[in-house]
Amino acid sequence: MEIFTNIKTGKTVMRDAPQESKVAYDGKMMIVEIDNEGIITYANRTLRDMLDYDKEEIVGLPYAVSFHPDMPEGLYKQAFDVANEGKIWSGYEKSITRNGQYFWTAVCVQPKYEMDKSINGYIIRKKLPEEDVIKEVQKEYSRLATLDLAECSSEFCGELNFH
């Protein structure tokens, strides 16, 4: 079990330990916005329902509340490093729900801008991935989880190019 504090309300939220139980995902787009400190400022209903948090609970929680421990830490660093360069990062993410269940998504992380063009947070879009790709991603991410953060690169994630 892990405990997270909502910086907006001051209340704590408990998340169960990971289970080997997959939660069904209907494929609707999930959107979450976070600030520069990684705090959730917006989460659409689909994401809230998948993670099993209501709006008052999730806004103000760290985005890490949804990080499954199977995910290589270096991929989150890579995603936000790419977004901090004003680019879009694309990859796959295994998320964890409040009760410890998991689900996989194809993810895009992009920066949000102020009027002066400074980055003031990130928009993260999640959608249903292709199931056969996830089998390969799981193998690759297991390998990456054992590496140094700086060595974390994969054919399954990185800067999204529109060429």
Side-chain angles (χ1 to χ4, degrees):
M1 181 176 301
E2 264 191 86
I3 299 173
F4 296 87
T5 302
N6 184 310
I7 65 155
K8 189 174 177 181
T9 65
K11 295 180 180 177
T12 58
V13 172
M14 290 186 283
R15 185 189 73 201
D16 289 345
Q19 302 174 13
E20 290 301 316
S21 173
K22 185 176 178 181
V23 66
Y25 174 27
D26 65 9
K28 292 180 184 171
M29 179 71 71
M30 291 183 264
I31 299 171
V32 60
E33 295 182 18
I34 61 174
D35 65 18
N36 287 333
E37 286 74 46
I39 302 300
I40 297 170
T41 58
Y42 170 80
N44 73 346
R45 179 179 300 277
T46 303
L47 181 73
R48 294 190 316 257
D49 289 348
M50 284 294 290
L51 295 175
D52 195 25
Y53 297 103
D54 62 37
K55 186 176 182 179
E56 292 73 29
E57 287 176 309
I58 202 165
V59 172
L61 284 177
Y63 181 52
V65 74
S66 68
F67 292 1
H68 195 284
D70 288 352
M71 284 293 295
E73 287 181 39
L75 292 184
Y76 291 111
K77 180 182 178 337
Q78 180 191 86
F80 292 104
D81 285 351
V82 167
N84 281 328
E85 294 173 5
K87 301 171 184 172
I88 298 173
W89 181 90
S90 177
Y92 297 90
E93 181 180 49
K94 184 177 185 180
S95 297
I96 187 169
T97 67
R98 174 186 289 222
N99 68 3
Q101 293 180 297
Y102 73 91
F103 61 95
W104 281 95
T105 54
V107 178
C108 284
V109 178
Q110 68 184 71
K112 284 181 11 178
Y113 295 96
E114 291 285 353
M115 294 299 281
D116 68 1
K117 299 191 180 183
S118 63
I119 295 173
N120 72 344
Y122 309 92
I123 299 170
I124 302 159
R125 291 172 291 144
K126 302 177 178 213
K127 65 180 187 174
L128 192 65
E130 295 176 31
E131 200 60 40
D132 57 326
V133 172
I134 292 303
K135 291 176 184 169
E136 293 301 312
V137 169
Q138 284 178 294
K139 290 179 202 170
E140 177 73 359
Y141 282 14
S142 291
R143 182 186 70 77
L144 292 176
T146 65
L147 299 177
D148 181 18
L149 292 179
E151 299 174 20
C152 212
S153 64
S154 168
E155 66 179 289
F156 295 108
C157 57
E159 180 183 337
L160 189 61
N161 293 308
F162 296 104
H163 303 285

